[in-house]
Amino acid sequence: MRHAGFAAIYDCDQTRDAAGRVTPYLVTEYLEGETLAARIDRAPLPTAEALEICARVATALAVAHRDGVPHGDLTPRRIFLTPGGVKIVDVGIGAVLRASADRRADRGAGHGPQAPARTDGPAPATPSDLLAADRADDVLAFGALLTACLNAGATAARVPDEVTVLAYECRASDPLQRPSMSRVADVLARMAAPSATARSETNLASLYAGDASAPSEPEQGPGPPQDDRRTEHLPAPPPAEDAPPAGGPPSSRPPSPPPR
């Protein structure tokens, strides 16, 4: 899974910590900038900036959900604001933490008496059920992140009602009532655009690709289209001395003698 909104992972391996326990680690790209948590603490977020950041995060998460990789521990500390754009770190860490917890539980259960297998109660969750639950958890965490951004001083402009409703839906107590991350990304990408005339479809497409820095077409003022080429207007050359004036009689000046 590759996307400009995710920190690149170059390698992974395991090592042992000071206590001798096996610990996995990742080698990722170096990120220059600050976390979203630090940005929120440093100064109030204007509405336009908050919507732009959240739109980029939602778009990247929608790609991850499409590929079956929920984040699992989304917080403002895991969002980096870099000169190259918004970057999400530790994607998929929730599955790693859950697997580690399951292994510890299995090891603990192996030392005591085995509990009898239960034949009643709900059926065990399938992998698709677990994936759907992880996606819903991501949406819930994103709703908290969106609310934190909008409550962190978004005073430059009024928050659109559709965004307020969206944040409420993301934080619904019933996971089935939460919107998909793709719908969240669609709404925020539309709300983050200042206007339909100031932002072209190409710019919105580049936002979905994780890069909103694509240059837009130059604005065309009123009147006929202007040619791109530059034309230099030079003054007309002066009339030759021997040439008759336009519309006048021939010159009476005697011709110059031939050179020797």
Side-chain angles (χ1 to χ4, degrees):
M1 183 182 64
R2 293 179 178 271
H3 191 274
F6 302 134
I9 299 176
Y10 300 125
D11 196 5
C12 62
D13 206 338
Q14 292 182 339
T15 187
R16 292 188 179 274
D17 60 14
R21 294 171 297 190
V22 176
T23 303
Y25 69 88
L26 297 176
V27 181
T28 66
E29 66 174 310
Y30 173 76
L31 297 179
E32 181 181 356
E34 64 180 345
T35 66
L36 178 58
R39 174 66 183 86
I40 291 174
D41 291 340
R42 178 170 56 84
L45 278 172
T47 299
E49 183 180 353
L51 293 178
E52 183 75 12
I53 292 172
C54 292
R56 290 172 178 266
V57 172
T59 298
L61 289 177
V63 173
H65 283 197
R66 181 198 63 193
D67 293 344
V69 186
H71 189 285
D73 191 26
L74 184 68
T75 66
R77 294 183 296 105
R78 302 194 187 276
I79 309 298
F80 266 78
L81 310 180
T82 74
V86 179
K87 297 280 188 177
I88 305 175
V89 300
D90 297 336
V91 178
I93 193 173
V96 177
L97 296 176
R98 185 169 55 252
S100 177
D102 291 343
R103 286 194 298 270
R104 289 195 300 269
D106 291 341
R107 286 195 298 268
H111 294 292
Q114 295 288 336
R118 299 190 55 166
T119 57
D120 58 343
T126 64
S128 60
D129 293 335
L130 294 176
L131 178 60
D134 288 343
R135 287 170 173 166
D137 288 345
D138 271 2
V139 175
L140 177 63
F142 180 84
L145 185 146
L146 175 61
T147 303
C149 288
L150 297 179
N151 289 345
T155 57
R158 182 174 179 269
V159 177
D161 292 338
E162 192 170 357
V163 175
T164 302
V165 173
L166 181 69
Y168 178 80
E169 292 176 346
C170 289
R171 294 180 286 111
S173 57
D174 184 358
L176 298 179
Q177 299 299 321
R178 299 169 196 160
S180 67
M181 191 57 71
S182 59
R183 177 176 172 269
V184 173
D186 288 340
V187 172
L188 290 178
R190 178 161 40 83
M191 293 292 103
S195 66
T197 55
R199 193 158 193 160
S200 64
E201 292 296 329
T202 302
N203 287 33
L204 286 176
S206 62
L207 174 63
Y208 272 87
D211 179 17
S213 59
S216 58
E217 293 294 327
E219 295 185 2
Q220 176 67 50
Q226 299 295 325
D227 196 307
D228 238 2
R229 294 170 295 182
R230 298 174 180 267
T231 303
E232 185 177 3
H233 298 280
L234 300 176
E241 292 185 0
D242 294 338
S251 174
S252 59
R253 182 178 178 180
S256 303
R260 296 182 179 181

